């Protein structure tokens, strides 16, 4: 949680003393009161319900210590002391910020800069506040503000580094399939010129594959840019959830076979119709299943679909679990960052751009849901995607295609 902004904290938030005496109280009684309670920085003097003045411990005992001080102030009403003061006490309005109160207090003459002060507000009995309490609070706020500023700076640097890393990575990623496309095309041209067309099909296949990979990357970058610019629309339709699961299963099966993974789909069949953005759900789920398939070898991947009923409505919970390589706590901490891959060898070994999860999470959130993950190194991973059975059109989006 963020600390309160310095300007939101006022003198009303400071601890205070409600030590009050009447203006007819004798000086000797005030002296006794202050002697009995060492933490009291002073007392407020009232005339019935009206504020009459403030006795500061320091100033009062200084006066008593002067020649004839005890004779002059002890046996008379405390007003005699108040009337002897060169200036009235410092009274600050309740809405004064800690920062401003500190400036006002510190501007007092050197001999009473450490005196307590009075906080006054409408319908509020005057409060006596210790100067030290003000300074402690101000230091606390400044320290919290400094820590917050450091954290924001670190987050900004980390985001900027992530983008620079991404750009460096991406130019390499974009160049690799492009180089393949250009290389194979040039060989093909030479072959065709020489009348040799035997090896044409595998080369054309490589060109098509590289082109497809390039397209996926560019689409991912464009989607993220669209989300960042808040230009990504939702296209909500009503569709059959069982048909959707069948379709996803068919899409995922070839991916599972690639690494010899067993694939199991379970569902409670409790939700028949969903009102959601089918394409965004499909993209999110295929990424989760694609990741599970990619990072698991000769293991097991499961997709489980359940209904959850909560006070805020009905939800569909898609859970994708695998028995694959898993992730460390540190890797998990950055999992949903755009352009993040657990380490630099991932893109070389497994391909991908590190955009999938960031997109999946943002799609789920656009649908009013969320995406979370649990994992441990070498112990598999579980992603849980919760989306409302009926997503709502965001305010200002008129593109409902029902
Ligand atoms: N099921 C999983 N098991 C282990 N690590 C995973 C799993 N899912 C994701 N990760 C880690 O999180 C990283 C980010 O995943 P994400 O889907 O965003 O990117 P990607 O799969 O590498 O590329 P893309 O999805 O863009 O093709 C992966 O590179 C991998 O390091
Ligand atoms: Mg992925």
């Amino acid at each position: 949680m963020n600390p309160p902004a310095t300007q939101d904290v006022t003198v009303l938030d400071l601890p205070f003393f409600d030590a009050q005496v009447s203006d007819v109280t004798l000086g000797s009684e005030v002296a006794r009161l202050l002697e009995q309670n060492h933490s009291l920085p002073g007392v407020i003097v009232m005339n019935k319900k009206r504020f009459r003045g403030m006795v500061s411990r320091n100033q009062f005992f200084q006066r008593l210590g002067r020649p004839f001080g005890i004779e002059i102030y002890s046996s008379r009403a405390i007003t005699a002391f108040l009337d002897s003061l060169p200036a009235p006490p410092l009274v600050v309005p309740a809405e004064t910020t800690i920062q401003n109160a500190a400036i006002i207090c510190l501007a007092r003459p050197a001999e009473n800069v450490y005196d307590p002060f009075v906080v006054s507000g409408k319908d509020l009995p005057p409060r006596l506040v210790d100067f030290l309490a003000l300074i402690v609070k101000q230091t606390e706020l400044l320290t919290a503000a400094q820590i917050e500023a450091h954290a924001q700076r670190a987050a900004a640097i980390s985001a900027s580094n992530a983008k620079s890393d991404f750009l460096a990575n991406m130019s390499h990623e974009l160049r690799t399939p492009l180089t393949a496309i250009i290389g194979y095309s040039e060989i093909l041209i030479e072959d065709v010129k020489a009348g040799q067309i035997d090896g044409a099909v595998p080369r054309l296949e490589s060109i098509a594959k590289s082109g497809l990979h390039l397209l996926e990357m560019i689409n991912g970058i464009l989607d993220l840019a669209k989300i960042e610019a808040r230009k990504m629309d939702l296209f909500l339709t009503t569709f059959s959830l069982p048909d959707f699961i069948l379709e996803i299963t068919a899409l995922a099966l070839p991916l599972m076979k690639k690494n010899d993974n067993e694939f199991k789909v379970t569902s409670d069949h409790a939700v028949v119709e969903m009102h959601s953005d089918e394409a965004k759900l499909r993209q999110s789920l295929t990424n989760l299943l694609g990741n599970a398939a990619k990072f698991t070898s000769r293991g097991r991947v499961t997709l489980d679909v359940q209904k959850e009923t909560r006070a805020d409505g009905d939800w569909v919970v898609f859970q994708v679990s695998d028995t694959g390589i898993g992730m460390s706590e540190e890797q998990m901490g950055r999992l949903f960052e755009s352009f993040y891959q657990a380490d630099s060898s991932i893109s070389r070994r497994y391909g991908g751009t590190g955009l999938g999860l960031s997109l999946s999470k943002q799609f789920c959130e656009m649908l009013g849901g969320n995406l979370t993950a649990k994992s441990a190194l070498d112990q598999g991973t579980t992603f849980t995607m919760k989306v409302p059975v009926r997503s709502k059109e965001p305010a200002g989006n008129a593109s409902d295609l029902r």
Side-chain angles (χ1 to χ4, degrees), residues 294-321:
K294 218 165 29 168
F295 299 111
T296 310
S297 186
R298 296 175 182 228
R300 195 162 15 89
V301 177
T302 58
L303 165 66
D304 180 51
V305 187
Q306 303 278 337
K307 178 180 172 181
E308 191 177 290
T309 300
R310 299 195 320 216
D312 56 355
D314 289 342
W315 296 72
V316 184
V317 183
F318 297 94
Q319 201 158 61
V320 177
S321 302

Side-chain angles (χ1 to χ4, degrees), residues 21 25-35 43 55 60 78:
V21 295
T25 312
L26 291 180
S28 55
E29 274 180 58
V30 174
R32 200 172 314 122
L33 190 68
L34 291 172
E35 273 165 358
V43 289
V55 177
F60 187 55
I78 194 65

Side-chain angles (χ1 to χ4, degrees), residues 266-279:
T266 52
S267 167
D268 64 359
H269 306 290
V271 176
V272 179
E273 269 191 348
M274 266 190 100
H275 184 68
S276 194
D277 187 323
E278 201 178 354

Side-chain angles (χ1 to χ4, degrees), residues 48-65:
K48 302 214 171 76
K49 295 218 152 163
R50 263 186 48 240
F51 175 71
R52 175 68 173 79
M54 191 249 319
V55 177
S56 133
R57 168 188 288 274
N58 290 344
Q59 283 194 355
F60 187 55
F61 284 119
Q62 261 177 29
R63 287 291 150 108
L64 289 185

Side-chain angles (χ1 to χ4, degrees), residues 132-259:
L132 205 61
L134 172 73
I135 297 303
V136 167
K137 188 74 179 177
Q138 192 206 21
T139 311
E140 265 174 29
L141 288 176
L142 289 179
T143 312
Q146 214 171 12
I147 292 172
E148 175 71 9
H150 273 297
Q152 277 179 2
R153 190 161 169 269
I157 291 174
S158 154
S160 150
N161 285 347
K163 286 212 169 168
S164 312
D165 287 354
F166 165 71
L167 276 180
N169 245 346
M170 194 46 66
S171 40
H172 169 78
E173 291 285 336
L174 290 173
R175 221 175 288 141
T176 314
L178 257 183
T179 314
I181 291 171
I182 295 166
Y184 283 121
S185 309
E186 283 173 353
I187 298 171
L188 259 177
I189 293 169
E190 292 305 315
D191 284 355
V192 173
K193 272 187 189 164
Q196 295 174 1
I197 52 164
D198 292 354
V201 171
R203 278 170 191 153
L204 284 168
E205 278 170 355
S206 296
I207 291 174
K209 203 173 136 203
S210 299
L212 205 65
H213 182 56
L214 205 54
L215 184 67
E216 272 171 13
M217 267 197 282
I218 292 170
N219 281 341
I221 299 166
L222 290 181
D223 278 353
L224 274 176
K226 244 180 159 179
I227 294 175
E228 268 191 34
R230 299 183 188 283
K231 295 242 165 68
M232 178 68 84
D233 287 333
L234 276 185
F235 294 103
L236 300 180
T237 58
T238 302
F239 57 91
S240 148
L241 181 61
D243 286 355
F244 175 75
I245 299 172
L246 279 180
E247 186 199 342
I248 295 290
T249 309
L251 281 173
L253 261 175
L255 305 174
M256 303 300 165
K257 286 202 175 124
K258 235 179 176 175
N259 281 348

